[in-house]
Each structure stands twice: as structure tokens, then as C-alpha cells.
Amino acid sequence: MKVRIGALGPPDSLQVIREVAELDPRIELVEFEYFGSEELPKILSAHRYDVTQWIFSGQVPYYYCLERGLISENEALFPPQHGVSLLGTCLQVMQEHGQFVSRMSLDTVDESIVNSLFSEYRLDKISFELLSYKGYIEYDEIIKFHFENVKSGRTQVAITCLLKVYLALQKLGIPCYRVVPSKLAIKTVLDLLVSRAESQVYEKQKVAIIGFELVGGGENLKKTVYNFAEKQKELEFELELLQITRKLNGSLINRGAGTHFIYTTQGDYELLTSELPFSRIADEISLKTSLRFNIGIGSGYTIHGAEQHVQQAFEYEGIEDGRKIIYVDEEGVSTSQFGEEGADSVPNIPLPAFWSVVLKEKGYREQIPLKVYQYIKMKNISHFSSDMLTSLLKNTDRNSRRILSELEQMGLVRALTEENNSGKRGRPKKMYELVLEKEK
């Protein structure tokens, strides 16, 4: 299975990224060309979940998106623009000027990196006016920095990491050169992104156990005579948990003493909470049943590990008060109250614009296609059959095949080779994949 990686950058940077990606059979590169950072929100809002990971051409666009919540740190990286690429640009300056150039202005690259790099190669006769920064700053500030340095004579040429700055300085008549990430730096980042994507697929398959513990739940079990109202509440509580279990494609186990466990996967849990934070789901159950309970959520690579984390959640300080959600995994503990936007909330995944247009044109309701699309993207599934829809939608296999046939006719899914039934009787299962853009 290829890892789908989105590349964001100007044409020259994208060309280098493309050349590196084409040599890696693990990668399917999807390119998004832009000129200024102001174009990034539109690109990411439309295509954020069309790929597994993102590679940005540099620091500025990466932090521009990160600071605005357009991406998170665990879904994108950028290649550093120093080392071989910086030294190569300096050599280009000397060659084109036909003489030694000792004074240059440089943006973006950290001062400590520049000092370490040029000290290592004993290039101490080259001096830099540096504009180092963390995060994102406006292009105009960078352009002004280079312009004033060259015009005042403090520097002879400008070196920038940004295409927009490079083009602006050229128009102003400032001798300017651009640092483009080296192929080695790009390959290193792509390797990290592929490893991260593969790890995330594994993460989605982790065991997740959602434990519900009624406050004082064990007391009713000790009674010889049940109060009818109390018994009805407990039955309503179990019915609510069964509905959640179906949505999670999981199993509900009554552990006794007012404790119930739902066994599912991390991917199914995240899919459910993409539609509604679990804290709000818990709040609805509490309102419907008038019962007080705590929730301990444990995630682990084994059932035993997840159960240990649920137990740790139930033993967490202060949980006995009720209306608390404690989430425990290998990273530690996070807490929230019912009705809060807790750590369990993940962003909703919208349908691609192409899907929305086609469904509207065909008069097809979005509800089922949206659920199918979100499920596939959340669980990083590359190929699927009607069995997946049958499990997800809780319907018959015949109905699932009908839905897939309709989606295929609309050009939203594409039929692939048929899957062997591993010795089972009957016709082999037809496999499908999502179509994210209109085929030309």
C-alpha cells in the first residue's frame, strides 16, 4: 500500500520534491502549488484529509498553517533549508559574481546553524546579516530586511528561502538568490513521513476499551428487592450503551457491580468522536437516564494493556465524584468533564468537494457516503469490499453491494481486482478504492 503524501510549495520546490518522491515506490505524491501563504487555508480546507501526511516546502508556510490550526504537528513536516543547499547557494553567488562575496543577508535559517556550518568549513571570511525567526512572519518584513541591508551597503547580495521574497527583491533591483531544500533533506523528511503514516495505521488498530462505572452502582446489586424505577434506569442505561457499542463496531461486557466495558479499536473510537465529542455523548446518556457515572477510557496495543489503562483511569484521583472522563494511554492521563470539548474530540472530516458536487447533481443524500468516506479516511483503509459497509452500516450484504454499485456509477469509488475468498464458496469479493478527484 502506498502512502499518500501531499506536497505544498512553489513550482521550483515542488519539482525537487517530485524528483525525490518518484524514486520511492512507497509514496504517492499529490502536489499543491501556491505562491503566497494566504492561499494555504483554501487548499487545506479542501484537501487536508485527502492525504495521510503533508510535506511543506519550508518553515514559513508550515508555521503559518500550524499557528492557524490548519494542520497539527503530527501530520506535517518541512525539510530544513541549510547545510548542502545553503553552501551550494553561496557557491552559486561566487560563481555568478566572478569574485569572492563576503557580505550577505540571509533570512529564516537559525543563527546557531549558520555559525556552526561556516565554522566547520572555515568560511569565517563570509559575514551574514541574519533574520532568524521561529514560526511565521510577514513577507513584507523579510523583503524590507534584505532591501535595507543591500541599499545601505552592509551586504552585497540577499539570500532568501522564500520564492515570494525572491521575486519581490528582483523587481526592486536587489541582487538576490534563493535557497531550495536539498534532495537529501527532502528524502530524510519523506522517510519520516512514511514511517509516521505507517505508525498511525498501527495506532488506529490499537485496542480501545471504554469503561462505564455507575456511582454507587454496586449498591443496588446487594438489595434483595429491586426498586422498579431503579431497575428501569439501569435497563435504559444498558440500552444506551448498546447503541454506542453498535456505532463503535464493538462488544459490550457487563463486568458486574455497575461496571460495563465496550471493547473496540482506536480507529472506531476516533471515528465516533469525529462526529461528536465523547463528553457530549456521555452528557446525553446522563440526561436520559438520570444516573451518575464515570467513564474510564483505556487504549493499548493489547487487550491486557487497554484493561490496565481503564483500571488506572477508574483509580484516578477525584473520579469518584461522577461526571468525569479519564483517558489513559501510553502517553499518560487526560481528563475532562461531561459536556466539555475534551482531548477525545478530533476534527470532523468533510466530504471532498468533488463528492459533494456529484451527490448534489444526482440528488443522492450525503448521509451514507459521508459515513463511508469518514470511516475509510479515519482508519486509513486503501481497499475495501462490501463486507466493510455491511459491518459499518449494519445492513445486509446485498444492500451494501447496491450502495457500492451506486457510488461506482457516480464515479466516487473505483472497482479493483476481486479478492480471493480464502477457500470459501461463492463468488470472490469485489474490491474498491475511493476516487478523490474527477477523472480526466
Side-chain angles (χ1 to χ4, degrees):
M1 182 183 76
K2 287 194 173 187
V3 175
R4 194 175 169 89
I5 295 178
L8 276 163
D12 54 349
S13 295
L14 285 179
Q15 181 179 345
V16 181
I17 294 172
R18 185 190 314 122
E19 290 171 359
V20 176
E22 285 175 347
L23 299 175
D24 194 328
R26 302 171 299 170
I27 296 173
E28 177 188 349
L29 195 71
V30 184
E31 299 177 27
F32 298 93
E33 184 180 311
Y34 78 96
F35 179 68
S37 295
E38 63 278 359
E39 301 170 46
L40 293 171
K42 185 177 180 180
I43 294 172
L44 283 167
S45 63
H47 302 284
R48 180 177 180 180
Y49 298 103
D50 290 351
V51 300
T52 306
Q53 292 283 312
W54 289 91
I55 180 170
F56 284 76
S57 60
Q59 171 182 321
V60 169
Y62 171 82
Y63 281 105
Y64 178 92
C65 295
L66 187 65
E67 291 172 6
R68 286 158 177 78
L70 301 173
I71 55 160
S72 60
E73 288 183 347
N74 64 356
E75 60 183 310
L77 288 171
F78 64 91
Q81 292 169 304
H82 54 72
V84 174
S85 52
L86 179 56
L87 287 174
T89 305
C90 290
L91 185 61
Q92 181 187 359
V93 171
M94 309 296 180
Q95 180 177 295
E96 293 191 5
H97 277 251
Q99 60 181 359
F100 182 74
V101 179
S102 60
R103 304 187 311 279
M104 308 180 193
S105 60
L106 173 65
D107 62 53
T108 309
V109 184
D110 188 82
E111 182 178 358
S112 61
I113 292 173
V114 176
N115 292 337
S116 173
L117 180 66
F118 283 82
S119 173
E120 179 181 352
Y121 292 98
R122 298 180 181 178
L123 299 172
D124 51 339
K125 291 185 179 180
I126 300 176
S127 64
F128 286 96
E129 291 292 329
L130 295 172
L131 180 61
S132 301
Y133 54 89
K134 290 184 178 180
Y136 170 81
I137 65 173
E138 295 294 335
Y139 290 107
D140 289 345
E141 187 176 340
I142 302 172
I143 294 167
K144 182 180 178 183
F145 161 77
H146 287 295
F147 181 82
E148 290 181 348
N149 272 292
V150 174
K151 284 299 182 183
S152 66
R154 286 193 295 270
T155 60
Q156 297 163 271
V157 299
I159 298 179
T160 181
C161 298
L162 305 166
L163 177 62
K164 193 169 183 177
V165 173
Y166 171 75
L167 295 175
L169 290 173
Q170 279 194 324
K171 286 184 179 179
L172 293 170
I174 301 296
C176 181
Y177 297 82
R178 180 156 179 262
V179 181
V180 177
S182 68
K183 290 186 177 181
L184 178 61
I186 292 170
K187 185 181 185 307
T188 301
V189 169
L190 287 175
D191 284 340
L192 287 170
L193 292 177
V194 169
S195 298
R196 183 189 283 178
E198 291 173 345
S199 174
Q200 286 176 351
V201 171
Y202 188 45
E203 284 286 314
K204 300 290 191 245
Q205 296 172 347
K206 282 169 55 177
V207 178
I209 301 175
I210 305 167
F212 293 80
E213 187 178 59
L214 289 171
V215 175
E219 296 175 4
N220 285 339
L221 300 177
K222 298 174 184 177
K223 296 180 181 179
T224 56
V225 180
Y226 270 101
N227 177 292
F228 178 78
E230 290 174 347
K231 183 63 176 176
Q232 186 178 20
K233 284 182 181 179
E234 289 185 12
L235 288 172
E236 289 174 354
F237 181 67
E238 286 200 27
L239 285 172
E240 292 294 329
L241 297 189
L242 276 171
Q243 289 186 23
I244 297 172
T245 304
R246 290 192 190 98
K247 293 177 181 178
L248 288 166
N249 298 304
S251 299
L252 176 65
I253 305 295
N254 187 337
R255 302 284 292 241
T259 302
H260 297 75
F261 280 6
I262 298 176
Y263 290 76
T264 184
T265 66
Q266 187 70 20
D268 283 301
Y269 169 73
E270 291 182 5
L271 178 66
L272 178 66
T273 55
S274 70
E275 299 172 358
L276 191 68
F278 207 87
S279 53
R280 291 190 185 176
I281 295 171
D283 206 32
E284 288 179 9
I285 298 173
S286 181
L287 288 169
K288 289 178 180 178
T289 63
S290 300
L291 290 172
R292 293 176 62 222
F293 55 89
N294 293 302
I295 298 175
I297 303 174
S299 178
Y301 293 101
T302 64
I303 292 175
H304 175 72
E307 286 179 340
Q308 292 290 100
H309 287 151
V310 173
Q311 190 59 41
Q312 185 180 341
F314 282 148
E315 293 172 359
Y316 192 75
E317 182 180 356
I319 194 172
E320 66 276 359
D321 297 335
R323 298 185 61 77
K324 287 277 182 70
I325 299 177
I326 310 296
Y327 182 96
V328 182
D329 62 8
E330 291 80 5
E331 300 296 321
V333 180
S334 62
T335 68
S336 63
Q337 297 277 356
F338 293 4
E340 282 186 353
E341 296 283 342
D344 53 304
S345 175
V346 296
N348 188 34
I349 301 177
L351 279 175
F354 164 58
W355 278 48
S356 297
V357 170
V358 171
L359 291 171
K360 188 175 181 181
E361 287 176 351
K362 302 294 183 181
Y364 200 100
R365 291 182 62 187
E366 283 192 2
Q367 184 179 2
I368 290 177
L370 176 62
K371 189 170 186 178
V372 172
Y373 179 79
Q374 288 182 335
Y375 184 81
I376 290 169
K377 300 304 283 187
M378 286 295 295
K379 300 199 79 171
N380 287 319
I381 297 171
S382 58
H383 305 142
F384 54 92
S385 68
S386 60
D387 287 345
M388 188 206 75
L389 264 69
T390 301
S391 174
L392 174 64
L393 304 175
K394 303 295 181 294
N395 59 10
T396 64
D397 191 53
R398 181 179 180 180
N399 197 34
S400 296
R401 291 198 303 270
R402 176 186 60 79
I403 292 170
L404 281 171
S405 177
E406 291 170 350
L407 294 178
E408 184 182 6
Q409 288 174 19
M410 290 187 285
L412 304 181
V413 300
R414 181 188 300 114
L416 303 172
T417 56
E418 296 185 340
E419 182 187 53
N420 192 318
N421 280 337
S422 303
K424 295 180 182 179
R425 292 183 178 181
R427 295 178 59 188
K429 293 284 186 183
K430 188 183 283 187
M431 302 299 292
Y432 296 86
E433 67 177 359
L434 296 179
V435 176
L436 301 175
E437 295 178 351
K438 186 175 182 179
E439 295 184 339
K440 298 177 181 179

